Amino acid sequence: MKIRTHVIIALLLSTILSQRIFAAPFSYYTFDESCADGVGIHSLIPYNTPSYATGKIDNGLDLERTLNQYAAHMNFVNVEQVRTIDVWVKAESGGNSGIIVEFTDSTANTLTLAWDNGNLIKYGLILSDSSQFELLSSGVSPDVWYHIV
């Protein structure tokens, strides 16, 4: 299975103006031939040599499930404080289950966007105490871009 993805990670900031709380991007990834963070401090590590391709916004990470390709950040600031993950995903074909992108913090909390058999995209949180939360499960069709927030 091939997946192209563009990822924006946003943390809710404590900026309050006229009783409104605003979120600003904490990290974002354009995948311009690297997994570098556009902000510069949370770069992803690409596993098993994924390639880069044209994405919905900027470039995308082209993942082959048969090669177990994904990207991860294993020392993220604090996964429990992540409020929004904004992702464009296009599955080019069906395939095996596997990680698309994963963030783990120093206390072993893990936030994962994954592909599941049956053409499902899942987004979940596993806390260091082994509590698991499935935050999203969405069916997808091949060759269609999906905006998951």
Side-chain angles (χ1 to χ4, degrees):
M1 185 214 45
K2 294 179 74 157
I3 292 179
R4 291 187 183 182
T5 185
H6 176 79
V7 181
I8 297 172
I9 308 285
L11 290 185
L12 188 63
L13 300 179
S14 59
T15 304
I16 299 176
L17 180 62
S18 300
Q19 303 298 320
R20 294 182 183 164
I21 299 176
F22 297 95
F26 184 73
S27 296
Y28 65 92
Y29 306 90
T30 59
F31 299 117
D32 291 329
E33 303 303 321
S34 78
C35 286
D37 173 13
V39 176
I41 55 174
H42 295 104
S43 294
L44 296 171
I45 297 170
Y47 287 90
N48 300 316
T49 321
S51 59
Y52 302 93
T54 302
K56 181 71 174 177
I57 299 172
D58 296 315
N59 286 335
L61 195 57
D62 196 350
L63 306 172
E64 298 286 346
R65 290 295 346 124
T66 56
L67 300 176
N68 194 30
Q69 295 175 335
Y70 66 101
H73 189 292
M74 297 304 186
N75 195 18
F76 204 70
V77 176
N78 186 341
V79 167
E80 289 185 282
Q81 291 183 9
V82 172
R83 297 293 182 254
T84 304
I85 290 191
D86 182 347
V87 183
W88 282 96
V89 176
K90 178 175 78 168
E92 296 176 348
S93 61
N96 302 327
S97 298
I99 297 168
I100 298 171
V101 65
E102 179 175 80
F103 299 90
T104 302
D105 65 21
S106 60
T107 61
N109 296 316
T110 303
L111 188 62
T112 302
L113 181 69
W115 174 263
D116 194 11
N117 287 330
N119 294 336
L120 287 175
I121 295 289
K122 291 187 173 186
Y123 170 54
L125 177 65
I126 301 172
L127 299 178
S128 56
D129 67 2
S130 299
S131 300
Q132 296 185 25
F133 303 93
E134 186 174 294
L135 306 173
L136 168 93
S137 180
S138 178
V140 295
S141 299
D143 292 321
V144 177
W145 281 104
Y146 291 90
H147 189 205
I148 300 171
V149 181

